[in-house]
């Protein structure tokens, strides 16, 4: 599959849709306008790539809805050179957005098949995250902490403590919390022990898997 002017045109329309839905961050919108989302999905589904919808990928997982990606990315308030951790690499689309935003990007995926596939794919596409790791996102990634921002892209039944403790002061954790539906939640670390919490309504994610061997 290729990226063509027709795809670029569809991305422009998608960006317009996201703006209408309330996304304002121009660097997030620019990233979405640039990244060929159709290449992150199996060929044959490319007509769905620029609709504002989640879509199935390998291993029973989904590529998040563009609005959700934009909404979470906006909440992260990433600046060029920030240290950013993503939990749930999946298709790598959100990883690519973080790279476009200038983040030093680390991402963790729990499923080996996806981890391998996406690692290869992102490098083919020219994206250079600092590190992609195969492991359990509940633990975060201590060796590269602290982070300016952490984004969780699967539904967490509770907020894993290591993610809070791996934030810098003023660092931001964006995490959908809940079992059946999730409340998008932002934690800002105000001091060593204090976190400010804000909630942003309901979203629906695949579950953050625990104790998977
Ligand atoms: N950011 C992805 C969203 C993928 S869906 C994208 O843009 O495509 C969520 C992903 O989280 C899935 O790939 C799933 O395998 C992964 N995941 C689930 N539990 C996890 C865990 N405990 N640690 C790391 N990744 C996990």
């Amino acid at each position: 599959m290729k990226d063509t002017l027709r795809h670029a045109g569809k991305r422009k329309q998608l960006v317009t849709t996201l703006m209408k839905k309330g996304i304002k961050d121009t660097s997030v919108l620019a990233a979405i306008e640039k990244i060929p989302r159709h290449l992150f999905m199996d060929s044959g589904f490319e007509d769905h790539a620029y609709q504002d919808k989640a879509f199935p990928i390998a291993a029973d997982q989904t590529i998040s809805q563009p609005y959700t990606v934009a909404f979470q990315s906006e909440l992260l308030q990433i600046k060029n050179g920030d240290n950013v951790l993503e939990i749930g690499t999946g298709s790598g689309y959100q990883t690519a957005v973080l790279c476009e935003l200038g983040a030093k990007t680390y991402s963790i995926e729990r499923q080996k098949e996806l981890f391998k596939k996406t690692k290869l794919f992102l490098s083919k596409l020219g994206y250079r995250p600092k590190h992609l790791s195969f492991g359990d996102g509940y633990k975060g990634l201590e060796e590269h902490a602290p982070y300016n921002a952490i984004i969780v892209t699967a539904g967490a039944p509770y907020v894993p403590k290591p993610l809070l403790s791996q934030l810098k002061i003023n660092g931001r954790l964006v995490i959908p919390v809940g079992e059946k539906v999730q409340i998008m939640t932002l934690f800002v670390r105000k001091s060593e022990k204090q976190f400010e919490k804000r909630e942003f309504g309901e979203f629906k994610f695949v579950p953050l898997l625990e104790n998977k061997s």
Side-chain angles (χ1 to χ4, degrees):
M1 267 198 293
K2 281 193 196 140
D3 192 27
T4 65
L5 274 178
R6 186 173 66 88
H7 294 112
K10 287 189 175 192
R11 282 201 289 280
K12 256 213 156 75
Q13 285 172 12
L14 174 60
V15 164
T16 307
T17 304
L18 296 178
M19 287 168 77
K20 278 189 192 142
K21 291 186 176 178
I23 304 297
K24 292 191 181 68
D25 188 320
T26 49
S27 18
V28 170
L29 293 166
I32 288 172
E33 189 162 340
K34 185 165 170 199
I35 301 169
R37 187 171 187 259
H38 62 287
L39 300 182
F40 290 74
M41 298 166 39
D42 290 335
S43 52
F45 298 127
E46 64 170 310
D47 283 347
H48 299 268
Y50 298 108
Q51 294 173 12
D52 188 22
K53 285 184 184 157
F55 208 77
I57 52 171
D60 285 335
Q61 298 304 321
T62 56
I63 177 169
S64 300
Q65 183 180 344
Y67 175 72
T68 305
V69 172
F71 192 86
Q72 287 194 282
S73 301
E74 190 166 72
L75 283 180
L76 293 172
Q77 295 186 359
I78 290 170
K79 291 182 293 306
N80 203 30
D82 276 0
N83 221 29
V84 178
L85 174 66
E86 174 189 26
I87 312 297
T89 316
S91 70
Y93 181 75
Q94 175 74 63
T95 319
V97 171
L98 297 174
C99 291
E100 287 289 352
L101 293 173
K104 289 188 195 122
T105 308
Y106 300 87
S107 185
I108 311 176
E109 172 56 51
R110 193 72 181 108
Q111 303 206 51
K112 193 119 203 195
E113 180 196 346
L114 268 177
F115 162 73
K116 284 198 205 152
K117 188 175 163 195
T118 299
K119 191 171 174 161
L120 193 69
F121 171 70
L122 281 174
S123 80
K124 270 192 196 154
L125 217 59
Y127 285 105
R128 302 266 176 276
K130 276 271 168 186
H131 190 66
L132 296 177
S133 77
F134 168 60
D136 181 7
Y138 276 90
K139 301 191 178 84
L141 196 61
E142 182 64 43
E143 52 272 44
H144 301 287
Y147 301 97
N148 299 90
I150 301 178
I151 171 173
V152 180
T153 69
Y158 60 89
V159 181
K161 286 239 165 64
L163 301 186
L164 290 170
S165 66
Q166 290 174 22
L167 284 177
K168 287 186 186 178
I169 304 296
N170 289 320
R172 300 162 79 83
L173 167 65
V174 174
I175 179 169
V177 187
E179 308 265 357
K180 279 217 174 76
V181 290
Q182 291 81 34
I183 307 292
M184 190 63 75
T185 311
L186 166 70
F187 290 89
V188 183
R189 186 170 206 168
K190 290 295 176 187
S191 68
E192 195 57 37
K193 293 226 166 78
Q194 279 177 309
F195 296 85
E196 185 186 279
K197 176 181 171 186
R198 284 177 65 192
E199 295 182 333
F200 295 88
E202 287 186 1
F203 287 77
K204 209 163 173 353
F205 285 79
V206 294
L208 189 65
L209 307 169
E210 213 171 359
N211 301 324
K212 188 176 179 291
S213 55

